[in-house]
């Protein structure tokens, strides 16, 4: 059985990772989403087991101790982590998996799974990033400034990724990521059987 692809989409907060990944999943039925665990409170409309597994800090720390996460990070005061077991099972079954995680987590995954495909999503400009975070209306001014300052540092980390995609529009970004996935599936190293003719 051919192993599935581990596709990691990351980038600074406010770049539109969530929207792009949502649209990507909606129009790529063969791609499965890895639902993260988090200690943050659900936002309006978010559902447990769908957007995240909403768990307590205690549960999260138990899970860390048990080695249950592929990676985890503290993002703006809350824990976020990628459950390991499900991913391993699905990749082994040939399923492509999408992780939408922050840059700290993505760097962890790079170390542990160098065979993963790392896609960095960039905003078209810092001004646009600020406009998007403000437009979301979920952050206090202090939190917004914290996120913008972190984003400037995070952009530099993007150079370590395999691919850079500028989020000019959701449609375009989705198309590019789909293109990356198709190209990765066509790599000679992943198609040994195609040569047995
Ligand atoms: P939000 O609270 O807005 O849903 O997410 C905040 C940040 O946490 C986003 O950058 C999101 O990509 C990131 N995030 C979500 N799940 C995970 C995860 O499992 N691991 C890590 N490292 N970051 C995550």
């Amino acid at each position: 059985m051919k192993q599935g692809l581990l596709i990691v989409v990351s980038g600074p907060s406010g770049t539109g990772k969530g929207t792009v990944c949502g649209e990507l999943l909606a129009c790529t039925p063969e791609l499965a989403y890895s639902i993260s665990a988090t200690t943050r409170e659900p936002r309006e409309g978010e559902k447990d087991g769908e957007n995240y597994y909403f768990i307590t800090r205690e549960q999260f720390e138990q899970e860390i101790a048990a080695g249950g996460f592929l990676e985890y990070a503290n993002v703006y005061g809350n824990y976020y982590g990628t459950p390991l077991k499900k991913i391993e099972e699905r990749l082994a079954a040939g399923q492509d998996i999408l992780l939408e995680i922050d840059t700290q987590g993505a760097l962890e995954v790079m170390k542990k799974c160098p065979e993963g495909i790392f896609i960095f999503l960039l905003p078209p400009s810092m001004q646009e990033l600020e406009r998007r975070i403000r437009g979301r209306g979920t952050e206090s001014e202090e939190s917004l400034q914290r996120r913008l300052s972190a984003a400037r540092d995070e952009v530099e980390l993007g150079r370590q990724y395999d691919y850079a995609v500028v989020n000019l529009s959701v449609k375009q970004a989705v198309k590019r990521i789909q293109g990356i996935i198709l190209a990765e599936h066509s790599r000679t190293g992943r198609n040994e059987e195609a040569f047995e003719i």
Side-chain angles (χ1 to χ4, degrees):
M1 168 70 75
K2 214 159 133 181
Q3 176 97 354
L5 301 179
L6 180 66
I7 299 145
V8 180
V9 173
S10 189
S13 162
T15 315
K17 297 191 291 285
T19 314
V20 168
C21 288
E23 188 59 26
L24 174 67
L25 287 161
C27 50
T28 322
E30 62 277 18
L31 188 60
Y33 181 59
S34 159
I35 302 167
S36 298
T38 185
T39 59
R40 88 149 159 73
E41 292 294 316
R43 293 188 187 125
E44 205 170 308
E46 284 185 333
K47 289 200 184 96
D48 184 47
E50 204 172 288
N51 304 89
Y52 285 104
Y53 297 111
F54 294 100
I55 62 175
T56 63
R57 193 160 269 269
E58 196 180 16
Q59 287 171 316
F60 201 102
E61 284 169 354
Q62 276 169 8
E63 208 47 50
I64 297 174
F69 293 120
L70 168 62
E71 61 73 37
Y72 68 92
N74 193 312
V75 187
Y76 308 113
N78 285 302
Y79 276 131
Y80 293 82
T82 304
L84 176 62
K85 201 159 166 262
K86 267 200 194 128
I87 293 194
E88 284 179 334
E89 287 168 2
R90 288 155 106 186
L91 288 175
Q95 171 75 65
D96 290 348
I97 305 281
L98 175 70
L99 306 191
E100 186 249 290
I101 59 177
D102 89 312
T103 48
Q104 305 169 68
L107 294 182
E108 263 318 293
V109 182
M110 270 181 214
K111 283 189 218 142
K112 291 189 182 161
C113 309
E115 73 286 2
I117 294 146
F118 296 88
I119 304 172
F120 195 75
L121 198 64
L122 287 145
S125 67
M126 287 308 287
Q127 289 77 7
E128 179 58 20
L129 185 69
E130 179 169 349
R131 202 188 61 77
R132 286 183 191 173
I133 303 179
R134 279 193 195 281
R136 212 158 61 176
T138 52
E139 308 307 318
S140 64
E141 186 61 29
E142 189 198 338
S143 160
L144 175 104
Q145 292 306 335
R146 207 153 41 117
R147 285 181 186 235
L148 283 177
S149 151
R152 284 189 197 94
D153 298 334
E154 282 177 284
V155 166
E156 282 309 306
L157 298 174
R159 295 182 199 277
Q160 299 178 46
Y161 288 59
D162 301 311
Y163 297 96
V165 172
V166 178
N167 186 12
L168 288 169
S169 78
V170 175
K171 205 172 156 192
Q172 239 187 69
V174 166
K175 226 171 141 183
R176 283 197 174 235
I177 297 174
Q178 285 180 321
I180 292 166
I181 297 172
L182 279 177
E184 287 287 343
H185 270 296
S186 305
R187 290 187 87 102
T188 45
R190 291 202 174 96
N191 288 282
E192 253 327 300
E193 76 289 351
F195 295 92
E196 289 158 15
I197 46 176

